[in-house]
Each structure stands twice: as C-alpha cells, then as structure tokens.
Amino acid sequence: MKNLVVLISGRGSNLKAIIDAIECGKIKAKISLVLSNKKDAKGLEIAQSYGIKTKFVDPSFFASRKGYDIYIAELIKKENPDLIVLAGYMRILSDEFIDAFDGKIVNIHPSLVPSFQGKNAQKQAIEFGSLITGCSVHFVTKELDNGPVIIQAAVPVLPEDTEETLSNRILQYEHRIYPQAIKWILEDRVNVKGRKVIVKDAKYGTIPINPALEDF
Ligand code: GRF
C-alpha cells in the first residue's frame, strides 16, 4: 500500500479532497501522518475524524528554519512515505528538507505557475488584471512555487470577482487536480525530464478546462 504524508497549516480542504479520493477508492493509498506547523489548523481535526495520525510541531521551539525542517524530516522518514503532499503548508522549506526527499514532494498553488508566486496569488491575479488564472500542482524544488508542473486547471477571472469569490472558484478545481496528480504519481505514471512532466496514458487536450481532469 502506497503511503502519503501530508503537511498543512490551516483549513485543510485539499487534505479533505485527498481523503475523499482515498475513501472512495480513486487513490489507492493511505495517509500515515498529517503534520502541521499550526496548533489550531482545522485540517488536523479533519484528519483525526478519519482516524489519521496527526502531529503539531511548534516552530517556536526551534532556533532556525533548518533545525525545524531537519526535525520534521526525521519524523517523516519514519513513515517511509512514497510522496509528501504540501496542502496549504505555509512555510518555505529549507534546502535540507528538499534534499532529503528529492523528487518526492508536491505542492498545490492557486495560480497558473510561474505566474503569481508566493502569498495571495488570487489577489495578485485580480490586481494584475489577468483574465484567466487557475491552479497548479507541481513538484517542489528549491525555488518557491516553481517546480515542474504536473497538472493545471485554467479558471476565468470575472469582472465582479473579489479575492474571495475568485479563491472559491479556483479552490473547486484545486480539489479536482490535486487528487488527480497524486493518483498519477502513485500509479507510477509520471516522469520528469528537466522541467517537463510526462504523464503516461493521460488524455490531454485544450483549454478552457484541462480535459485531463476527465480521467479522474
Ligand atoms: C489553497 O488555496 C492552496 O492552493 C494554497 O493554500 C490553500 C490551502 O487551502 N497553497 P486548504 O487548507 O487546502 O483549504
């Protein structure tokens, strides 16, 4: 059985989408640990309600980011995960952490990367005047929100959009593409060649919405 470790900091709606996909058998895996850097992360309660082991590791006990990351890397190694899933994990990972799990960390970002990296990507899209934005699942590299892209969904920015309405619209697609990407990876269908990600036997097409989503 493939095994996931999920890192969160908050609400946990992407975590819930992944749990749902596991529960209904679309993803054949288990989550052995949900780890948070925030004590009150709602996602911890979601995980616990499904009997998933959770752990809060308090960053204030560590003198440096590197120290924190080395500590959580040791905890995570004990789980022997096939994939580490960042689901709203709001801390930049140190190079040491990324080296420890090279090629085995994925993230979801609420923009079509490389656009609008960092925080408040949806607000950035509105302020920029983009007509289209979206969400991306990508491998994590040492550059923030910039690793090889596995799947993206394009989402229109409507004239009347606020940060909240746009974020909610994008989030619906996050909940579709993240389980999809995880399923592909765990089925060993994903190959990375430089920046290019090749997914075996995925049906690709054109916009408006990535038809690869139909696979899921
Ligand atoms: C999502 O918008 C995700 O793209 C970003 O952080 C948010 C997390 O939301 N990285 P949730 O905790 O999964 O509900």
Side-chain angles (χ1 to χ4, degrees):
M1 177 72 95
K2 301 265 183 174
N3 185 31
L4 303 172
V5 167
V6 183
L7 270 56
I8 62 164
S9 299
R11 182 176 55 183
S13 70
N14 279 289
L15 167 67
K16 174 74 167 67
I18 295 161
I19 293 173
D20 288 345
I22 291 173
E23 291 279 310
C24 73
K26 284 183 177 172
I27 295 177
K28 290 180 182 39
K30 64 179 165 54
I31 299 173
S32 70
L33 175 66
V34 172
L35 193 146
S36 173
N37 65 319
K38 296 275 184 202
K39 192 170 187 214
D40 54 359
K42 268 235 143 263
L44 290 175
E45 288 169 32
I46 295 174
Q48 284 155 9
S49 74
Y50 285 88
I52 298 167
K53 182 169 68 179
T54 61
K55 185 134 184 94
F56 157 60
V57 182
D58 191 343
S60 68
F61 289 164
F62 295 82
S64 66
R65 176 188 309 281
K66 187 175 152 186
Y68 183 86
D69 281 1
I70 289 171
Y71 180 80
I72 64 167
E74 287 308 312
L75 285 181
I76 294 168
K77 274 182 202 158
K78 287 190 190 133
E79 304 297 329
N80 196 21
D82 294 283
L83 192 66
I84 297 166
V85 176
L86 309 183
Y89 185 64
M90 303 303 283
R91 264 174 84 86
I92 295 171
L93 291 165
S94 57
D95 291 356
E96 286 75 12
F97 188 94
I98 293 167
D99 284 337
F101 302 105
D102 196 26
K104 282 171 90 177
I105 314 170
V106 287
N107 182 42
I108 187 151
H109 186 69
S111 78
L112 296 173
V113 299
S115 292
F116 311 128
Q117 289 154 338
K119 284 189 177 159
N120 308 117
Q122 305 93 330
K123 186 161 174 253
Q124 291 183 53
I126 290 174
E127 284 174 358
F128 186 80
S130 285
L131 299 180
I132 199 151
T133 182
C135 44
S136 311
V137 180
H138 63 91
F139 285 104
V140 173
T141 57
K142 288 173 187 166
E143 252 184 286
L144 182 67
D145 300 329
N146 202 43
V149 174
I150 304 158
I151 186 169
Q152 294 181 311
V155 177
V157 183
L158 304 180
E160 63 275 19
D161 263 336
T162 61
E163 186 182 355
E164 194 189 355
T165 58
L166 179 60
S167 299
N168 286 339
R169 191 174 322 109
I170 293 172
L171 195 62
Q172 292 170 26
Y173 288 94
E174 294 187 35
H175 296 164
R176 293 174 66 180
I177 67 172
Y178 216 1
Q180 174 70 84
I182 292 166
K183 177 180 158 78
W184 281 337
I185 293 166
L186 296 182
E187 288 174 351
D188 295 322
R189 290 166 62 188
V190 175
N191 279 302
V192 185
K193 294 209 165 60
R195 282 217 53 92
K196 292 245 162 80
V197 175
I198 298 133
V199 183
K200 204 167 158 252
D201 299 328
K203 286 174 246 146
Y204 285 111
T206 52
I207 52 175
I209 295 300
N210 190 335
L213 292 171
E214 289 163 13
D215 268 17
F216 194 62

